Amino acid sequence: MVVFTSVVRFMVAAVLTLMTIVSPVKMADKTAANEPIDPENCKLSLAVISDTHMKVEAGGILNDLVFHLVMKDFEAKDNKHDALVFAGDITDHGYEEQWAHLNEQIKNYEPAENIYLAMGNHDTWTRDETGKRTAKGLFMEYSTKITGKRTLNYYYSTTVNGYPLIVLTSEDDHTAATFSDKQIKWFENAMKKAAKLDKPIFVVCHWPINMTHGLPVSWGDDDYDDMTGGMGEQSDRINKIMQKYDNVFMISGHIHNGISNSETKAELGYESLEKVGNIYSLNIPAINGFNENGDWFPGTSYVIEVYEDEVVFRARNFMSGFWRPEYNYSVELTK
């Protein structure tokens, strides 16, 4: 039954992908330019995608097609995004040939001024013939190749246009994340340093905070507890650090939820952007393939635009080139 369902999903996704290429039907708002709402006053433009699951085995051709259409949409902007962020599960299994394939694919495009990668659980599943974990080394090697920036660790912090971007990742190969005391202490210091810039802080972690975005139910397992589908045991510690600061925006994937808004939340139990205490949590769909809930169409995610007084989250189907304004959000910044 599982195999049959996977085949059906693959076939439907393939048909939908072809529809975006040949169909003239207006699926959403394609009248708005592929530009910021206010280009002159936009201080930062981040395109965020997750769960590309790049692979060279069965299904890889479809993933490559979606990837091609998404990258071409990024290239179609007159002014490139300041950054493109991959929020985890970049590869389907963390194999070196999958990383190498992504590296060869992305060489064909110039999607943004900067590219940043965050590991997901699928990217951590790599071991050599002796059983030794090799995921960290592969990530650092191919992150350096793909981004053009030397990667010294698999969690790191940087700035984009002066705005802090902090990337967290799991240090084990389980479905839930594992954060060492060392990484949590590093994160605490990185947040303190970022806060001194007095600008919105963007935290990227493939795993959402436990019990957000419809979890644990939205994860889809029949047997679950309060940690299912989220960061796991260290979720409260990570969340507690972020709660100390204003204007913190967390970006995650992992759940394969479709996009949802306040109107669909009543039915689905979640929405794409949720206020969690003092912070805002954005959970984005899998860019490749099906999403389980909400608006599940492949190729959909968000562009984040930062202005003087607000951060705007704009939903877009990058595969077909349509904005989805009904799923947009605007957050007024705390002064």
Side-chain angles (χ1 to χ4, degrees):
M1 181 64 180
V2 173
V3 174
F4 175 76
T5 301
S6 298
V7 171
V8 170
R9 286 177 179 270
F10 176 86
M11 292 176 65
V12 173
V15 170
L16 291 172
T17 301
L18 292 174
M19 283 172 58
T20 67
I21 302 172
V22 302
S23 176
V25 176
K26 185 178 186 296
M27 297 171 57
D29 183 5
K30 201 169 184 178
T31 61
N34 187 5
E35 295 295 332
I37 295 172
D38 184 358
E40 291 185 2
N41 293 303
C42 183
K43 299 181 178 298
L44 178 68
S45 175
L46 297 178
V48 293
I49 61 176
S50 187
D51 296 87
T52 48
H53 290 280
M54 298 299 285
K55 53 187 175 181
V56 294
E57 56 269 29
I61 294 176
L62 177 60
N63 283 7
D64 287 352
L65 177 56
V66 174
F67 188 78
H68 167 74
L69 294 171
V70 171
M71 293 298 112
K72 293 301 290 184
D73 187 72
F74 294 149
E75 287 191 323
K77 291 178 84 279
D78 290 337
N79 299 302
K80 291 184 176 64
H81 293 292
D82 296 308
L84 166 60
V85 178
F86 288 73
D89 280 4
I90 303 163
T91 65
D92 198 51
H93 215 296
Y95 296 142
E96 181 167 11
E97 56 265 33
Q98 294 173 349
W99 282 112
H101 181 64
L102 172 62
N103 185 43
E104 289 303 312
Q105 290 292 307
I106 208 163
K107 284 179 181 178
N108 298 316
Y109 311 98
E110 295 181 4
E113 296 293 341
N114 300 279
I115 298 175
Y116 297 100
L117 308 182
M119 288 181 71
N121 54 299
H122 279 250
D123 304 311
T124 68
W125 292 346
T126 320
R127 296 178 182 270
D128 64 18
E129 60 276 5
T130 68
K132 180 180 178 181
R133 296 184 66 235
T134 56
K136 179 179 179 180
L138 284 171
F139 173 79
M140 291 191 297
E141 176 185 352
Y142 281 95
S143 179
T144 298
K145 290 178 179 179
I146 291 166
T147 68
K149 303 172 182 63
R150 189 180 179 194
T151 303
L152 300 176
N153 207 336
Y154 49 179
Y155 54 88
Y156 60 92
S157 64
T158 187
T159 58
V160 187
N161 287 11
Y163 290 84
L165 178 72
I166 302 174
V167 174
L168 300 174
T169 196
S170 177
E171 296 172 71
D172 211 328
D173 57 0
H174 305 303
T175 301
T178 300
F179 304 97
S180 66
D181 289 341
K182 179 180 179 181
Q183 182 176 176
I184 292 174
K185 182 64 176 177
W186 170 88
F187 178 54
E188 189 171 24
N189 291 331
M191 288 292 292
K192 287 179 182 178
K193 183 178 179 180
K196 292 178 180 178
L197 296 176
D198 197 26
K199 293 183 177 181
I201 301 170
F202 296 94
V203 177
V204 181
C205 182
H206 180 64
W207 297 260
I209 298 166
N210 293 351
M211 298 294 289
T212 60
H213 303 287
L215 291 174
V217 176
S218 58
W219 183 246
D221 288 345
D222 292 330
D223 182 19
Y224 47 66
D225 57 34
D226 289 355
M227 288 189 286
T228 300
M231 289 181 175
E233 293 181 358
Q234 290 87 7
S235 180
D236 288 346
R237 294 178 66 187
I238 297 292
N239 186 25
K240 186 177 179 180
I241 292 169
M242 292 190 290
Q243 294 295 336
K244 297 177 183 178
Y245 304 98
D246 293 325
N247 302 322
V248 175
F249 300 90
M250 181 183 165
I251 304 160
S252 64
H254 188 55
I255 311 176
H256 291 222
N257 272 344
I259 55 177
S260 173
N261 56 27
S262 58
E263 294 182 2
T264 57
K265 182 179 181 179
E267 174 188 352
L268 299 171
Y270 75 93
E271 56 185 304
S272 294
L273 186 74
E274 297 182 347
K275 195 170 192 297
V276 182
N278 196 43
I279 73 170
Y280 287 88
S281 174
L282 177 72
N283 185 256
I284 55 179
I287 202 76
N288 263 327
F290 261 76
N291 294 285
E292 295 296 329
N293 305 299
D295 193 313
W296 46 262
F297 202 89
T300 303
S301 193
Y302 276 86
V303 173
I304 304 172
E305 297 174 6
V306 181
Y307 296 92
E308 184 67 31
D309 299 318
E310 65 177 346
V311 176
V312 179
F313 299 82
R314 302 180 69 197
R316 183 174 178 85
N317 187 283
F318 299 113
M319 191 170 69
S320 58
F322 291 97
W323 291 106
R324 304 302 308 276
E326 67 272 32
Y327 296 105
N328 288 359
Y329 295 89
S330 177
V331 176
E332 185 176 344
L333 292 172
T334 301
K335 297 295 186 181

